[in-house]
Short mmCIF file of all heavy atoms in Angstrom, two decimals:
data_model
loop_
_atom_site.label_atom_id
_atom_site.label_comp_id
_atom_site.label_asym_id
_atom_site.label_seq_id
_atom_site.Cartn_x
_atom_site.Cartn_y
_atom_site.Cartn_z
N MET J 1 156.80 126.91 12.08
CA MET J 1 157.39 127.72 13.12
C MET J 1 156.35 128.18 14.14
O MET J 1 156.65 128.28 15.33
CB MET J 1 158.02 128.96 12.50
CG MET J 1 159.50 128.99 12.29
SD MET J 1 160.50 128.22 13.49
CE MET J 1 161.64 127.48 12.41
N ALA J 2 155.15 128.47 13.67
CA ALA J 2 154.12 128.95 14.59
C ALA J 2 153.75 127.86 15.59
O ALA J 2 153.51 128.15 16.77
CB ALA J 2 152.89 129.40 13.81
N ARG J 3 153.72 126.64 15.15
CA ARG J 3 153.40 125.53 16.07
C ARG J 3 154.48 125.36 17.13
O ARG J 3 154.18 125.08 18.29
CB ARG J 3 153.21 124.24 15.29
CG ARG J 3 151.94 124.21 14.49
CD ARG J 3 151.77 122.91 13.79
NE ARG J 3 150.57 122.94 12.97
CZ ARG J 3 150.25 122.02 12.12
NH1 ARG J 3 151.04 120.98 11.94
NH2 ARG J 3 149.14 122.13 11.42
N VAL J 4 155.72 125.49 16.72
CA VAL J 4 156.84 125.37 17.67
C VAL J 4 156.77 126.51 18.69
O VAL J 4 156.96 126.29 19.90
CB VAL J 4 158.19 125.39 16.93
CG1 VAL J 4 159.35 125.45 17.90
CG2 VAL J 4 158.32 124.18 16.02
N LYS J 5 156.47 127.72 18.22
CA LYS J 5 156.35 128.85 19.13
C LYS J 5 155.22 128.63 20.14
O LYS J 5 155.41 128.85 21.33
CB LYS J 5 156.06 130.13 18.34
CG LYS J 5 157.28 130.91 17.98
CD LYS J 5 156.97 132.34 17.64
CE LYS J 5 156.22 132.49 16.36
NZ LYS J 5 156.16 133.87 15.89
N MET J 6 154.08 128.22 19.64
CA MET J 6 152.94 128.02 20.54
C MET J 6 153.21 126.89 21.53
O MET J 6 152.91 127.01 22.72
CB MET J 6 151.68 127.73 19.74
CG MET J 6 151.15 128.96 19.04
SD MET J 6 149.67 128.64 18.09
CE MET J 6 148.56 128.05 19.32
N ALA J 7 153.77 125.79 21.04
CA ALA J 7 154.04 124.65 21.92
C ALA J 7 155.06 125.03 23.00
O ALA J 7 154.87 124.69 24.18
CB ALA J 7 154.55 123.47 21.10
N SER J 8 156.12 125.72 22.62
CA SER J 8 157.14 126.09 23.61
C SER J 8 156.59 127.10 24.61
O SER J 8 156.93 127.05 25.79
CB SER J 8 158.39 126.62 22.93
OG SER J 8 158.11 127.79 22.20
N PHE J 9 155.72 127.99 24.17
CA PHE J 9 155.11 128.93 25.11
C PHE J 9 154.25 128.21 26.13
O PHE J 9 154.37 128.44 27.34
CB PHE J 9 154.26 129.97 24.35
CG PHE J 9 153.45 130.84 25.27
CD1 PHE J 9 154.06 131.87 25.95
CD2 PHE J 9 152.10 130.61 25.46
CE1 PHE J 9 153.33 132.68 26.81
CE2 PHE J 9 151.35 131.40 26.30
CZ PHE J 9 151.96 132.44 26.98
N TYR J 10 153.38 127.32 25.67
CA TYR J 10 152.49 126.63 26.60
C TYR J 10 153.23 125.64 27.50
O TYR J 10 152.88 125.49 28.67
CB TYR J 10 151.35 125.95 25.84
CG TYR J 10 150.33 126.94 25.35
CD1 TYR J 10 150.08 127.11 24.00
CD2 TYR J 10 149.63 127.72 26.25
CE1 TYR J 10 149.15 128.03 23.55
CE2 TYR J 10 148.70 128.65 25.82
CZ TYR J 10 148.46 128.80 24.47
OH TYR J 10 147.55 129.72 24.04
N ILE J 11 154.25 124.98 26.97
CA ILE J 11 155.04 124.08 27.82
C ILE J 11 155.76 124.87 28.90
O ILE J 11 155.78 124.49 30.07
CB ILE J 11 156.03 123.27 26.96
CG1 ILE J 11 155.27 122.23 26.13
CG2 ILE J 11 157.07 122.58 27.83
CD1 ILE J 11 156.11 121.54 25.09
N GLY J 12 156.35 125.99 28.52
CA GLY J 12 157.03 126.84 29.49
C GLY J 12 156.08 127.40 30.53
O GLY J 12 156.39 127.43 31.72
N PHE J 13 154.92 127.84 30.08
CA PHE J 13 153.93 128.39 31.01
C PHE J 13 153.43 127.33 31.98
O PHE J 13 153.36 127.57 33.19
CB PHE J 13 152.76 128.99 30.22
CG PHE J 13 151.71 129.59 31.09
CD1 PHE J 13 151.93 130.80 31.72
CD2 PHE J 13 150.51 128.94 31.29
CE1 PHE J 13 150.96 131.36 32.54
CE2 PHE J 13 149.53 129.48 32.10
CZ PHE J 13 149.75 130.70 32.73
N MET J 14 153.11 126.15 31.45
CA MET J 14 152.62 125.08 32.34
C MET J 14 153.70 124.64 33.32
O MET J 14 153.42 124.37 34.49
CB MET J 14 152.13 123.90 31.51
CG MET J 14 150.83 124.16 30.81
SD MET J 14 150.12 122.73 29.98
CE MET J 14 151.39 122.30 28.81
N ALA J 15 154.94 124.57 32.86
CA ALA J 15 156.03 124.14 33.73
C ALA J 15 156.27 125.16 34.84
O ALA J 15 156.50 124.77 36.00
CB ALA J 15 157.30 123.92 32.93
N ILE J 16 156.22 126.45 34.53
CA ILE J 16 156.48 127.45 35.56
C ILE J 16 155.33 127.50 36.57
O ILE J 16 155.56 127.66 37.77
CB ILE J 16 156.77 128.85 34.95
CG1 ILE J 16 157.49 129.74 35.95
CG2 ILE J 16 155.52 129.55 34.51
CD1 ILE J 16 158.88 129.39 36.21
N VAL J 17 154.11 127.31 36.11
CA VAL J 17 152.97 127.30 37.04
C VAL J 17 153.02 126.05 37.91
O VAL J 17 152.80 126.12 39.13
CB VAL J 17 151.64 127.40 36.26
CG1 VAL J 17 150.45 127.11 37.16
CG2 VAL J 17 151.51 128.77 35.63
N TRP J 18 153.32 124.92 37.31
CA TRP J 18 153.40 123.67 38.07
C TRP J 18 154.52 123.74 39.11
O TRP J 18 154.37 123.34 40.24
CB TRP J 18 153.62 122.51 37.12
CG TRP J 18 153.46 121.15 37.73
CD1 TRP J 18 152.97 120.84 38.95
CD2 TRP J 18 153.80 119.91 37.12
NE1 TRP J 18 152.97 119.49 39.14
CE2 TRP J 18 153.48 118.89 38.03
CE3 TRP J 18 154.34 119.57 35.89
CZ2 TRP J 18 153.69 117.55 37.75
CZ3 TRP J 18 154.53 118.24 35.61
CH2 TRP J 18 154.22 117.24 36.53
N GLY J 19 155.67 124.27 38.70
CA GLY J 19 156.79 124.41 39.63
C GLY J 19 156.52 125.41 40.73
O GLY J 19 157.06 125.29 41.84
N TYR J 20 155.70 126.40 40.45
CA TYR J 20 155.37 127.40 41.47
C TYR J 20 154.49 126.80 42.57
O TYR J 20 154.67 127.09 43.74
CB TYR J 20 154.66 128.59 40.81
CG TYR J 20 154.31 129.69 41.76
CD1 TYR J 20 155.28 130.58 42.20
CD2 TYR J 20 153.01 129.83 42.24
CE1 TYR J 20 154.97 131.60 43.08
CE2 TYR J 20 152.69 130.85 43.12
CZ TYR J 20 153.67 131.73 43.54
OH TYR J 20 153.35 132.73 44.42
N PHE J 21 153.55 125.97 42.18
CA PHE J 21 152.61 125.42 43.15
C PHE J 21 153.06 124.11 43.77
O PHE J 21 152.58 123.73 44.83
CB PHE J 21 151.23 125.25 42.52
CG PHE J 21 150.56 126.56 42.25
CD1 PHE J 21 150.33 126.99 40.96
CD2 PHE J 21 150.16 127.38 43.30
CE1 PHE J 21 149.71 128.19 40.72
CE2 PHE J 21 149.54 128.59 43.06
CZ PHE J 21 149.31 129.00 41.76
N ASP J 22 153.95 123.37 43.12
CA ASP J 22 154.41 122.07 43.62
C ASP J 22 155.92 122.14 43.84
O ASP J 22 156.70 122.08 42.90
CB ASP J 22 154.05 120.97 42.62
CG ASP J 22 154.32 119.58 43.18
OD1 ASP J 22 154.67 119.46 44.36
OD2 ASP J 22 154.16 118.61 42.39
N GLU J 23 156.33 122.26 45.11
CA GLU J 23 157.75 122.43 45.41
C GLU J 23 158.59 121.21 45.06
O GLU J 23 159.78 121.33 44.78
CB GLU J 23 157.92 122.74 46.90
CG GLU J 23 157.43 124.11 47.28
CD GLU J 23 157.71 124.42 48.74
OE1 GLU J 23 158.55 123.74 49.35
OE2 GLU J 23 157.09 125.36 49.25
N THR J 24 157.99 120.04 45.06
CA THR J 24 158.77 118.83 44.76
C THR J 24 159.16 118.76 43.29
O THR J 24 160.12 118.09 42.93
CB THR J 24 157.96 117.58 45.14
OG1 THR J 24 156.74 117.56 44.39
CG2 THR J 24 157.66 117.56 46.62
N MET J 25 158.43 119.48 42.43
CA MET J 25 158.71 119.43 40.98
C MET J 25 159.55 120.60 40.50
O MET J 25 159.84 120.69 39.31
CB MET J 25 157.38 119.40 40.21
CG MET J 25 156.58 118.14 40.41
SD MET J 25 157.46 116.66 39.88
CE MET J 25 157.52 116.94 38.13
N ARG J 26 159.97 121.48 41.39
CA ARG J 26 160.72 122.67 40.97
C ARG J 26 162.04 122.32 40.30
O ARG J 26 162.45 123.00 39.36
CB ARG J 26 160.99 123.58 42.16
CG ARG J 26 159.81 124.42 42.47
CD ARG J 26 160.15 125.54 43.40
NE ARG J 26 158.88 126.20 43.75
CZ ARG J 26 158.69 126.88 44.83
NH1 ARG J 26 159.67 127.04 45.68
NH2 ARG J 26 157.52 127.43 45.07
N THR J 27 162.71 121.29 40.76
CA THR J 27 164.01 120.94 40.17
C THR J 27 163.87 120.46 38.74
O THR J 27 164.82 120.55 37.96
CB THR J 27 164.72 119.86 41.00
OG1 THR J 27 163.87 118.72 41.11
CG2 THR J 27 165.06 120.39 42.39
N ILE J 28 162.71 119.98 38.38
CA ILE J 28 162.47 119.54 37.00
C ILE J 28 161.86 120.67 36.18
O ILE J 28 162.21 120.87 35.01
CB ILE J 28 161.55 118.30 36.98
CG1 ILE J 28 162.26 117.13 37.66
CG2 ILE J 28 161.15 117.94 35.57
CD1 ILE J 28 161.38 115.94 37.89
N CYS J 29 160.96 121.41 36.79
CA CYS J 29 160.22 122.43 36.05
C CYS J 29 161.07 123.64 35.66
O CYS J 29 160.85 124.22 34.60
CB CYS J 29 159.02 122.90 36.87
SG CYS J 29 157.73 121.66 37.00
N ILE J 30 162.03 124.01 36.47
CA ILE J 30 162.85 125.18 36.15
C ILE J 30 163.68 124.95 34.88
O ILE J 30 163.65 125.79 33.97
CB ILE J 30 163.71 125.60 37.35
CG1 ILE J 30 162.81 126.17 38.44
CG2 ILE J 30 164.76 126.62 36.95
CD1 ILE J 30 163.52 126.48 39.74
N PRO J 31 164.41 123.83 34.74
CA PRO J 31 165.14 123.63 33.48
C PRO J 31 164.22 123.47 32.27
O PRO J 31 164.55 123.93 31.18
CB PRO J 31 165.94 122.35 33.72
CG PRO J 31 166.01 122.19 35.17
CD PRO J 31 164.78 122.83 35.73
N VAL J 32 163.06 122.83 32.48
CA VAL J 32 162.11 122.69 31.37
C VAL J 32 161.62 124.07 30.93
O VAL J 32 161.52 124.35 29.73
CB VAL J 32 160.92 121.78 31.78
CG1 VAL J 32 159.80 121.86 30.76
CG2 VAL J 32 161.38 120.36 31.95
N THR J 33 161.34 124.94 31.88
CA THR J 33 160.89 126.29 31.55
C THR J 33 161.98 127.07 30.84
O THR J 33 161.71 127.76 29.85
CB THR J 33 160.48 127.03 32.84
OG1 THR J 33 159.47 126.28 33.50
CG2 THR J 33 159.99 128.42 32.53
N ILE J 34 163.20 126.96 31.31
CA ILE J 34 164.32 127.67 30.66
C ILE J 34 164.50 127.19 29.23
O ILE J 34 164.65 127.99 28.31
CB ILE J 34 165.61 127.50 31.48
CG1 ILE J 34 165.50 128.26 32.80
CG2 ILE J 34 166.83 127.98 30.70
CD1 ILE J 34 166.61 127.96 33.78
N PHE J 35 164.46 125.89 29.03
CA PHE J 35 164.60 125.35 27.68
C PHE J 35 163.44 125.78 26.79
O PHE J 35 163.63 126.13 25.62
CB PHE J 35 164.70 123.82 27.73
CG PHE J 35 164.87 123.20 26.38
CD1 PHE J 35 166.07 123.27 25.71
CD2 PHE J 35 163.80 122.54 25.78
CE1 PHE J 35 166.22 122.71 24.46
CE2 PHE J 35 163.94 121.97 24.53
CZ PHE J 35 165.15 122.06 23.86
N ALA J 36 162.23 125.77 27.32
CA ALA J 36 161.06 126.15 26.53
C ALA J 36 161.12 127.62 26.13
O ALA J 36 160.78 127.98 25.00
CB ALA J 36 159.78 125.86 27.30
N VAL J 37 161.56 128.48 27.04
CA VAL J 37 161.66 129.90 26.72
C VAL J 37 162.77 130.14 25.70
O VAL J 37 162.61 130.96 24.78
CB VAL J 37 161.89 130.73 28.01
CG1 VAL J 37 162.25 132.17 27.69
CG2 VAL J 37 160.65 130.68 28.88
N MET J 38 163.88 129.43 25.81
CA MET J 38 164.95 129.56 24.80
C MET J 38 164.45 129.11 23.44
O MET J 38 164.71 129.76 22.43
CB MET J 38 166.18 128.76 25.22
CG MET J 38 166.92 129.39 26.36
SD MET J 38 168.49 128.62 26.84
CE MET J 38 168.45 126.98 26.25
N LEU J 39 163.72 128.01 23.41
CA LEU J 39 163.15 127.52 22.15
C LEU J 39 162.14 128.51 21.59
O LEU J 39 162.09 128.74 20.38
CB LEU J 39 162.50 126.16 22.36
CG LEU J 39 161.94 125.47 21.13
CD1 LEU J 39 163.05 125.18 20.14
CD2 LEU J 39 161.23 124.19 21.53
N LEU J 40 161.37 129.13 22.45
CA LEU J 40 160.41 130.14 22.02
C LEU J 40 161.13 131.33 21.38
O LEU J 40 160.74 131.79 20.31
CB LEU J 40 159.58 130.61 23.22
CG LEU J 40 158.63 131.78 22.98
CD1 LEU J 40 157.51 131.37 22.05
CD2 LEU J 40 158.10 132.28 24.29
N LEU J 41 162.19 131.81 22.01
CA LEU J 41 162.91 132.95 21.46
C LEU J 41 163.61 132.62 20.15
O LEU J 41 163.58 133.41 19.21
CB LEU J 41 163.92 133.47 22.49
CG LEU J 41 163.32 134.08 23.74
CD1 LEU J 41 164.42 134.42 24.75
CD2 LEU J 41 162.51 135.31 23.41
N VAL J 42 164.21 131.44 20.07
CA VAL J 42 164.89 131.05 18.83
C VAL J 42 163.88 130.88 17.71
O VAL J 42 164.10 131.33 16.58
CB VAL J 42 165.72 129.76 19.05
CG1 VAL J 42 166.18 129.17 17.74
CG2 VAL J 42 166.90 130.06 19.94
N SER J 43 162.77 130.23 17.98
CA SER J 43 161.77 130.04 16.93
C SER J 43 161.15 131.37 16.52
O SER J 43 160.80 131.56 15.35
CB SER J 43 160.69 129.06 17.38
OG SER J 43 159.98 129.57 18.48
N HIS J 44 161.03 132.30 17.45
CA HIS J 44 160.51 133.62 17.10
C HIS J 44 161.49 134.36 16.18
O HIS J 44 161.07 134.98 15.20
CB HIS J 44 160.28 134.43 18.38
CG HIS J 44 159.73 135.79 18.13
ND1 HIS J 44 158.45 136.00 17.67
CD2 HIS J 44 160.27 137.02 18.28
CE1 HIS J 44 158.25 137.28 17.53
NE2 HIS J 44 159.34 137.92 17.90
N MET J 45 162.78 134.26 16.48
CA MET J 45 163.77 134.90 15.62
C MET J 45 163.82 134.23 14.24
O MET J 45 163.94 134.91 13.22
CB MET J 45 165.15 134.86 16.26
CG MET J 45 165.28 135.71 17.47
SD MET J 45 165.02 137.43 17.05
CE MET J 45 164.86 138.12 18.66
N MET J 46 163.74 132.93 14.22
CA MET J 46 163.79 132.22 12.94
C MET J 46 162.54 132.51 12.11
O MET J 46 162.59 132.50 10.88
CB MET J 46 163.92 130.71 13.17
CG MET J 46 165.24 130.30 13.78
SD MET J 46 166.65 130.77 12.76
CE MET J 46 166.47 129.65 11.41
N ASP J 47 161.43 132.77 12.76
CA ASP J 47 160.20 133.09 12.05
C ASP J 47 160.34 134.42 11.32
O ASP J 47 159.77 134.61 10.25
CB ASP J 47 159.04 133.14 13.04
CG ASP J 47 157.70 133.10 12.36
OD1 ASP J 47 157.62 132.55 11.24
OD2 ASP J 47 156.72 133.59 12.94
N HIS J 48 161.12 135.34 11.87
CA HIS J 48 161.33 136.63 11.24
C HIS J 48 162.39 136.58 10.14
O HIS J 48 162.51 137.53 9.38
CB HIS J 48 161.73 137.67 12.28
CG HIS J 48 160.60 138.12 13.12
ND1 HIS J 48 159.64 138.97 12.67
CD2 HIS J 48 160.24 137.80 14.38
CE1 HIS J 48 158.76 139.18 13.61
NE2 HIS J 48 159.10 138.47 14.67
N MET J 49 163.14 135.50 10.06
CA MET J 49 164.22 135.43 9.09
C MET J 49 163.84 134.65 7.84
O MET J 49 164.71 134.18 7.12
CB MET J 49 165.45 134.80 9.73
CG MET J 49 166.05 135.65 10.81
SD MET J 49 167.48 134.90 11.57
CE MET J 49 168.60 134.82 10.18
N LYS J 50 162.55 134.51 7.58
CA LYS J 50 162.14 133.79 6.38
C LYS J 50 162.72 134.48 5.15
O LYS J 50 162.67 135.70 5.02
CB LYS J 50 160.63 133.73 6.27
CG LYS J 50 160.02 132.77 7.26
CD LYS J 50 158.55 132.66 7.05
CE LYS J 50 157.99 131.68 8.04
NZ LYS J 50 156.54 131.60 7.96
N VAL J 51 163.25 133.70 4.25
CA VAL J 51 163.92 134.24 3.08
C VAL J 51 162.88 134.60 2.02
O VAL J 51 162.01 133.81 1.70
CB VAL J 51 164.92 133.22 2.51
CG1 VAL J 51 165.59 133.76 1.26
CG2 VAL J 51 165.95 132.86 3.55
N THR J 52 162.99 135.79 1.51
CA THR J 52 162.15 136.21 0.40
C THR J 52 163.05 136.55 -0.78
O THR J 52 164.21 136.92 -0.60
CB THR J 52 161.30 137.45 0.77
OG1 THR J 52 162.18 138.49 1.17
CG2 THR J 52 160.34 137.13 1.90
N GLU J 53 162.51 136.43 -1.96
CA GLU J 53 163.31 136.72 -3.14
C GLU J 53 163.48 138.22 -3.30
O GLU J 53 162.57 138.99 -3.01
CB GLU J 53 162.63 136.15 -4.39
CG GLU J 53 162.60 134.64 -4.42
CD GLU J 53 162.01 134.12 -5.71
OE1 GLU J 53 161.99 134.88 -6.70
OE2 GLU J 53 161.58 132.98 -5.70
N ALA J 54 164.64 138.59 -3.77
CA ALA J 54 164.92 140.00 -4.01
C ALA J 54 164.11 140.48 -5.21
O ALA J 54 163.84 139.71 -6.13
CB ALA J 54 166.40 140.20 -4.28
N PRO J 55 163.71 141.72 -5.22
CA PRO J 55 162.96 142.23 -6.37
C PRO J 55 163.84 142.27 -7.62
O PRO J 55 165.07 142.38 -7.53
CB PRO J 55 162.53 143.62 -5.95
CG PRO J 55 163.42 144.00 -4.83
CD PRO J 55 163.86 142.72 -4.19
N GLU J 56 163.21 142.15 -8.76
CA GLU J 56 163.96 142.17 -10.01
C GLU J 56 164.57 143.55 -10.21
O GLU J 56 163.95 144.57 -9.90
CB GLU J 56 163.03 141.85 -11.18
CG GLU J 56 162.52 140.44 -11.17
CD GLU J 56 161.64 140.16 -12.36
OE1 GLU J 56 161.69 140.93 -13.35
OE2 GLU J 56 160.90 139.18 -12.31
N ARG J 57 165.77 143.55 -10.75
CA ARG J 57 166.44 144.83 -11.00
C ARG J 57 165.87 145.43 -12.29
O ARG J 57 165.78 144.78 -13.31
CB ARG J 57 167.94 144.63 -11.15
CG ARG J 57 168.58 144.24 -9.85
CD ARG J 57 170.08 144.32 -9.96
NE ARG J 57 170.67 143.98 -8.69
CZ ARG J 57 171.31 144.86 -7.94
NH1 ARG J 57 171.46 146.09 -8.34
NH2 ARG J 57 171.82 144.50 -6.79
N VAL J 58 165.51 146.69 -12.18
CA VAL J 58 164.95 147.42 -13.31
C VAL J 58 165.96 148.49 -13.70
O VAL J 58 166.49 149.20 -12.85
CB VAL J 58 163.60 148.05 -12.93
CG1 VAL J 58 163.03 148.84 -14.09
CG2 VAL J 58 162.63 147.00 -12.45
N ASP J 59 166.20 148.61 -15.00
CA ASP J 59 167.14 149.62 -15.48
C ASP J 59 166.44 150.97 -15.49
O ASP J 59 165.68 151.29 -16.41
CB ASP J 59 167.64 149.25 -16.88
CG ASP J 59 168.71 150.22 -17.37
OD1 ASP J 59 169.37 150.85 -16.52
OD2 ASP J 59 168.87 150.35 -18.59
N ASP J 60 166.68 151.75 -14.47
CA ASP J 60 166.09 153.08 -14.41
C ASP J 60 167.18 154.15 -14.40
O ASP J 60 167.05 155.19 -13.77
CB ASP J 60 165.18 153.21 -13.19
CG ASP J 60 165.93 152.97 -11.89
OD1 ASP J 60 167.08 152.51 -11.95
OD2 ASP J 60 165.36 153.25 -10.83
N SER J 61 168.23 153.91 -15.17
CA SER J 61 169.37 154.84 -15.19
C SER J 61 168.97 156.19 -15.76
O SER J 61 169.45 157.23 -15.31
CB SER J 61 170.52 154.24 -15.97
OG SER J 61 170.11 153.90 -17.27
N GLU J 62 168.09 156.21 -16.76
CA GLU J 62 167.69 157.52 -17.31
C GLU J 62 166.83 158.30 -16.32
O GLU J 62 166.89 159.52 -16.28
CB GLU J 62 166.95 157.33 -18.62
CG GLU J 62 165.67 156.53 -18.51
CD GLU J 62 165.01 156.29 -19.86
OE1 GLU J 62 165.74 156.03 -20.83
OE2 GLU J 62 163.78 156.37 -19.91
N GLU J 63 166.07 157.58 -15.50
CA GLU J 63 165.27 158.25 -14.48
C GLU J 63 166.18 158.83 -13.41
O GLU J 63 165.96 159.94 -12.91
CB GLU J 63 164.30 157.25 -13.85
CG GLU J 63 163.33 157.84 -12.86
CD GLU J 63 162.26 158.72 -13.49
OE1 GLU J 63 161.92 158.51 -14.67
OE2 GLU J 63 161.81 159.63 -12.79
N ARG J 64 167.21 158.11 -13.05
CA ARG J 64 168.17 158.60 -12.06
C ARG J 64 169.00 159.76 -12.59
O ARG J 64 169.43 160.62 -11.84
CB ARG J 64 169.08 157.47 -11.59
CG ARG J 64 168.38 156.43 -10.79
CD ARG J 64 169.34 155.38 -10.36
NE ARG J 64 168.67 154.32 -9.65
CZ ARG J 64 169.25 153.53 -8.79
NH1 ARG J 64 170.53 153.68 -8.55
NH2 ARG J 64 168.57 152.60 -8.19
N GLN J 65 169.24 159.74 -13.88
CA GLN J 65 170.07 160.78 -14.50
C GLN J 65 169.38 162.16 -14.37
O GLN J 65 170.07 163.17 -14.29
CB GLN J 65 170.32 160.45 -15.97
CG GLN J 65 171.42 161.25 -16.60
CD GLN J 65 172.79 160.96 -16.00
OE1 GLN J 65 173.03 159.88 -15.45
NE2 GLN J 65 173.67 161.91 -16.11
N LYS J 66 168.07 162.19 -14.31
CA LYS J 66 167.35 163.45 -14.19
C LYS J 66 167.71 164.20 -12.89
O LYS J 66 167.72 165.41 -12.86
CB LYS J 66 165.84 163.21 -14.19
CG LYS J 66 165.27 162.76 -15.49
CD LYS J 66 163.76 162.55 -15.31
CE LYS J 66 163.14 161.92 -16.50
NZ LYS J 66 161.70 161.70 -16.31
N TYR J 67 167.97 163.42 -11.86
CA TYR J 67 168.18 164.01 -10.54
C TYR J 67 169.65 164.19 -10.18
O TYR J 67 169.97 164.52 -9.07
CB TYR J 67 167.49 163.16 -9.47
CG TYR J 67 166.00 163.05 -9.72
CD1 TYR J 67 165.45 161.86 -10.21
CD2 TYR J 67 165.16 164.13 -9.50
CE1 TYR J 67 164.09 161.77 -10.45
CE2 TYR J 67 163.81 164.04 -9.74
CZ TYR J 67 163.28 162.86 -10.22
OH TYR J 67 161.94 162.76 -10.46
N ARG J 68 170.53 164.02 -11.15
CA ARG J 68 171.96 164.21 -10.88
C ARG J 68 172.47 165.50 -11.43
O ARG J 68 172.05 166.15 -12.25
CB ARG J 68 172.78 163.06 -11.46
CG ARG J 68 172.57 161.80 -10.69
CD ARG J 68 173.46 160.74 -11.16
NE ARG J 68 173.19 159.53 -10.37
CZ ARG J 68 173.71 158.37 -10.63
NH1 ARG J 68 174.53 158.23 -11.63
NH2 ARG J 68 173.44 157.36 -9.90
#
């Protein structure tokens, strides 16, 4: 995921800079930048959704009973 994030960031950055300085490439660079930024955001969200195992359940009913 980190590689996808980095690649989409740099592709988007290069495309927006290239489109800013070269008017003939703007029609290509703008959609490439939009797609790269969308890919960056999706990969960033997916990076945060990594599945971890739930902790084991411990029977602490007598400990809880003290506070009831």
Side-chain angles (χ1 to χ4, degrees):
M1 259 324 140
R3 288 182 183 171
V4 173
K5 267 199 290 192
M6 287 180 59
S8 62
F9 172 77
Y10 286 118
I11 288 171
F13 180 75
M14 288 187 300
I16 200 72
V17 169
W18 191 10
Y20 182 78
F21 289 113
D22 188 6
E23 290 184 17
T24 60
M25 293 300 292
R26 279 194 187 156
T27 56
I28 295 171
C29 290
I30 290 174
V32 168
T33 303
I34 291 170
F35 181 74
V37 170
M38 287 186 339
L39 184 62
L40 173 68
L41 293 174
V42 168
S43 63
H44 181 69
M45 292 298 167
M46 293 300 289
D47 196 27
H48 285 284
M49 293 180 63
K50 287 185 179 175
V51 178
T52 58
E53 292 184 21
E56 292 182 18
R57 291 191 178 248
V58 178
D59 184 25
D60 60 349
S61 56
E62 61 184 40
E63 185 70 27
R64 292 181 183 204
Q65 194 65 25
K66 290 179 188 179
Y67 300 106
R68 289 186 180 172

